[in-house]
Amino acid sequence: MKKKWDMRIPPILVAPIFFMAIMLSICKTSAQECPALMSPADGSTLVSVDATITWESVTGVPGYIISLGTTPGGNDILNERNVGTATSFTPTTGLPENTEIFVTITLFFFNQPNIVCDSQRFTTAALTGVPQCTTLTLPVNEATDINTATNISWMAAPSATGYFISIGTTLLGNEILKDTDIGNSLNYNPPTDLPAESEIYVTIIPYNRIGMAVGCTTLMFTTAQQAILPLCTTMLSPMNGETNVPLSPTLEWNAAPNATGYRVSIGTSPFETNILENAIFFKTSTVVIDFEPNRTFFISIIPFNAAGEAIGCTQETFSTLLGCGPYYDPLSGELLVLNPEITFPDIVSICLDNEISVVTATDEADGYRWYKLDANGNETLLSTTAQVTIDEEGAYVYEAYVNIEESGRTFECASSKTFEAKISQAPEIKDIKVQLSASSLNYEVITGINGNYEYAIDNKDGPYQDSNRFTDQSLTDHIIYVRDKDGCGTTSSMVEQDLTVSGFPKFFTPNGDGINDFWQFIPPNETEEYKVSKIFIFDKFGAFLAQISPNKDGWNGSLNGRPLPESNYWFKAIATNNKTIIGYFSLKR
């Protein structure tokens, strides 16, 4: 895994302050900045009335607000429900049938304008039958010792548009409440307490325009002795909807009359308790360590006593401090981050000829960290400076960070990347193959080892090319340069073209008169410079014709027994000291 700064853990993370130079009121934004509906897709028809609405996740957006209506931008079905980081929402009581539904997603930001996206739409299908029956969620069927002040709640029945409820003290009875239409609601709060220590029978019948559900079962629970439940409480700190909350805040709430304790749940969406789930406190405050920055948190506090829990308590929200970003800048329309930009390469080379290979950071930052990764992805810290010594191939992590200070407090914003270290070394020229053409030379450079090399001719400073071939070069001496791209050295070799060297005849006359019928090298002396091992002969277009040895008769001017015409011909001779000699001669008849 890549080494990243975990902003939820380090104790040095404190409240950064991010001021916007000018706050603009933004009502709409271009479509490409907003998420597209995934299900139902924009423009869909025949959508189920109990559909779950999902949309794309937008990078850098800390939360979403959803509204549903029957007009563009409308909220007559659902008014600005904050769902945190969730990218889906299921309307609790379903959607109206055969209706064009407009979905408005708002991108929620901290201390800056939200982005209200253009509405997208779909059309629901018409109902085709009566709804199904439902079941109790509070109290559950056959529950006992239920407080007499309880509310009654049930699950939504797909395609229901309303519910009839009857409550009695006998099976199928309605002594407490008789066949009451409570509309499209999923709970009922009796105006007076239920009788104590009694069996309570509840019948709930969902309905829609086609008719009422059929065969619904009467549900039952038993009440406890008369007792007084505590009332609900509200947050004191942070207040409901408060933003810029410190990452390690003290949560404090009002004391609820008759409460002996409180059950606290916290989540990152209205539907989750992934931070704290039903934690019990016997006081009205608690300290939470290291909330994540840039997040909205949803908190529920339920007072309780021996009689039971408070009923109908609502969820509250607060949002934490801005961290390193990204932040939406309303002036530029861009997302901004405080993390340093990383320009470090994906691959660095270790020069084999160097005893120590030092790698240097490429980015401006307040500090750096270098890690070695093993085969299992475990990290070993190597350096906390701008340089690190690397002596073996493998995977590494480079991290650069900046310190953000505000009111004497400091927090880090870091960026990191994984890179690979590879061994490289200075090139070695093994051979330079020379090919003749009519009036120029072609070279092919052969290196002794494979490497990440580039090539230049006649100038050590380049220009360099990736190809190891040079074509159409002049008939003069040339120097070939080979350079390691990773900075591990440059080597060179000269290719000499001596067109006037003695020992090679300028012409010959293969006419069968016994005089100068063969073309052959005649060394002027026996020095090392003039010891030739082999000679190649080409026509003026560079086509190979023959290979001769210096201790034989030489070339008779024919190819496959057929005399060749008068013309100029090329030769290439290889000396025993690896010197290459290239020249030309004339065949006369």
Side-chain angles (χ1 to χ4, degrees):
M1 292 291 292
K2 200 183 284 187
K3 179 69 177 178
K4 292 187 177 178
W5 185 257
D6 188 342
M7 303 188 70
R8 296 169 294 181
I9 298 175
I12 64 172
L13 286 182
V14 294
I17 305 298
F18 187 84
F19 290 99
M20 304 300 293
I22 300 175
M23 300 301 291
L24 298 181
S25 176
I26 298 178
C27 295
K28 297 288 180 183
T29 186
S30 57
Q32 64 267 23
E33 295 174 333
C34 287
L37 283 181
M38 298 178 65
S39 177
D42 188 23
S44 297
T45 58
L46 301 178
V47 175
S48 173
V49 294
D50 60 346
T52 295
I53 301 169
T54 62
W55 55 91
E56 294 175 333
S57 175
V58 180
T59 302
V61 174
Y64 305 91
I65 297 171
I66 181 172
S67 294
L68 302 175
T70 53
T71 58
N75 56 14
D76 48 306
I77 298 175
L78 180 71
N79 184 21
E80 294 190 345
R81 177 66 178 271
N82 191 326
V83 296
T85 57
T87 55
S88 65
F89 177 76
T90 303
T92 53
T93 56
L95 297 167
E97 67 165 326
N98 202 25
T99 301
E100 189 174 34
I101 307 295
F102 292 86
V103 182
T104 305
I105 304 294
T106 298
L107 308 185
F108 174 77
F109 294 94
F110 302 89
N111 288 1
Q112 59 195 46
N114 295 334
I115 298 177
V116 182
C117 298
D118 292 333
S119 296
Q120 300 171 75
R121 67 183 188 275
F122 60 85
T123 303
T124 54
L127 297 177
T128 58
V130 299
Q132 299 175 355
C133 294
T134 184
T135 185
L136 287 176
T137 57
L138 178 73
V140 297
N141 189 34
E142 299 184 356
T144 58
D145 293 325
I146 300 302
N147 191 276
T148 56
T150 188
N151 293 344
I152 298 173
S153 302
W154 53 91
M155 297 196 55
S159 78
T161 58
Y163 301 85
F164 283 98
I165 181 171
S166 296
I167 305 175
T169 55
T170 59
L171 182 63
L172 301 179
N174 54 19
E175 297 87 353
I176 298 174
L177 184 70
K178 181 179 180 181
D179 294 334
T180 300
D181 184 353
I182 62 166
N184 199 11
S185 176
L186 299 179
N187 63 77
Y188 175 74
N189 185 12
T192 60
D193 287 354
L194 299 173
E197 299 179 273
S198 301
E199 290 185 346
I200 305 298
Y201 295 87
V202 180
T203 304
I204 302 172
I205 302 177
Y207 67 86
N208 59 25
R209 67 170 177 82
I210 298 176
M212 295 190 296
V214 178
C216 297
T217 303
T218 298
L219 308 171
M220 183 271 291
F221 60 89
T222 304
T223 55
Q225 294 180 353
Q226 188 71 37
I228 299 176
L229 289 177
L231 300 176
C232 293
T233 183
T234 55
M235 291 291 295
L236 286 173
S237 178
M239 297 288 289
N240 184 31
E242 184 174 338
T243 61
N244 216 32
V245 175
L247 302 182
S248 296
T250 297
L251 304 182
E252 186 176 2
W253 53 91
N254 288 299
N258 302 319
T260 58
Y262 304 86
R263 299 185 188 276
V264 178
S265 297
I266 305 174
T268 54
S269 83
F271 324 108
E272 296 179 289
T273 54
N274 52 327
I275 305 299
L276 201 64
E277 183 174 8
N278 279 331
I280 296 177
F281 297 93
F282 295 100
K283 55 183 182 178
T284 58
S285 66
T286 183
V287 175
V288 178
I289 304 298
D290 294 329
F291 273 122
E292 199 174 353
N294 289 18
R295 296 297 294 265
T296 296
F297 293 90
F298 298 79
I299 181 169
S300 298
I301 302 177
I302 311 297
F304 67 87
N305 60 20
E309 297 181 347
I311 298 172
C313 299
T314 59
Q315 196 174 61
E316 298 181 273
T317 67
F318 61 88
S319 301
T320 49
L321 289 165
L322 294 171
C324 299
Y327 312 104
Y328 176 75
D329 182 356
L331 296 179
S332 66
E334 297 177 349
L335 292 176
L336 306 179
V337 294
L338 301 181
N339 309 72
E341 183 180 356
I342 292 290
T343 61
F344 198 79
D346 296 327
I347 299 175
V348 298
S349 291
I350 303 169
C351 295
L352 192 64
D353 300 328
N354 295 349
E355 293 184 2
I356 298 178
S357 292
V358 177
V359 179
T360 302
T362 59
D363 308 295
E364 256 188 65
D366 295 327
Y368 307 89
R369 300 183 187 94
W370 306 83
Y371 300 88
K372 176 73 171 70
L373 292 179
D374 64 17
N376 297 319
N378 299 314
E379 300 167 347
T380 301
L381 181 64
L382 300 180
S383 173
T384 56
T385 70
Q387 293 184 326
V388 64
T389 299
I390 296 178
D391 55 9
E392 61 178 332
E393 289 187 322
Y396 295 82
V397 174
Y398 160 71
E399 181 179 71
Y401 63 86
V402 294
N403 294 320
I404 307 300
E405 296 185 4
E406 176 61 34
S407 302
R409 297 174 294 181
T410 304
F411 71 100
E412 276 189 13
C413 290
S415 300
S416 64
K417 73 173 299 181
T418 300
F419 67 93
E420 185 177 359
K422 289 188 175 181
I423 291 177
S424 187
Q425 64 185 97
E428 171 191 338
I429 297 178
K430 181 179 180 181
D431 187 21
I432 300 176
K433 295 183 178 180
V434 182
Q435 182 183 29
L436 300 172
S437 62
S439 58
S440 61
L441 302 172
N442 300 328
Y443 298 119
E444 181 181 2
V445 185
I446 308 299
T447 54
I449 53 176
N450 292 325
N452 190 20
Y453 301 142
E454 56 188 358
Y455 307 84
I457 189 166
D458 293 334
N459 190 339
K460 186 176 183 180
D461 296 326
Y464 281 83
Q465 62 184 40
D466 290 334
S467 173
N468 67 333
R469 298 174 183 270
F470 296 94
T471 60
D472 296 326
Q473 300 300 311
S474 62
L475 302 174
T476 58
D477 294 347
H478 293 283
I479 302 177
I480 303 296
Y481 296 93
V482 182
R483 183 170 68 182
D484 180 62
K485 286 186 178 181
D486 300 312
C488 290
T490 302
T491 189
S492 64
S493 179
M494 175 175 285
V495 183
E496 296 179 294
Q497 315 302 336
D498 190 347
L499 301 183
T500 61
V501 65
S502 59
F504 293 94
K506 291 297 182 181
F507 68 92
F508 78 118
T509 56
N511 53 15
D513 62 359
I515 303 173
N516 203 21
D517 284 336
F518 293 89
W519 184 88
Q520 180 57 282
F521 170 65
I522 304 172
N525 55 55
E526 291 299 321
T527 62
E528 185 68 26
E529 180 181 1
Y530 292 103
K531 289 183 179 179
V532 173
S533 60
K534 48 191 173 182
I535 302 171
F536 303 92
I537 298 174
F538 308 84
D539 66 15
K540 64 180 180 180
F541 301 105
F544 173 74
L545 301 177
Q547 177 181 342
I548 61 175
S549 298
N551 56 356
K552 300 293 184 180
D553 288 340
W555 183 49
N556 64 0
S558 63
L559 176 65
N560 297 326
R562 179 175 60 85
L564 295 178
E566 286 190 357
S567 182
N568 289 331
Y569 292 84
W570 290 96
F571 71 87
K572 180 175 74 172
I574 308 299
T576 55
N577 63 356
N578 287 327
K579 178 180 179 181
T580 299
I581 304 168
I582 295 176
Y584 67 91
F585 61 92
S586 298
L587 186 157
K588 298 181 179 181
R589 294 193 182 276

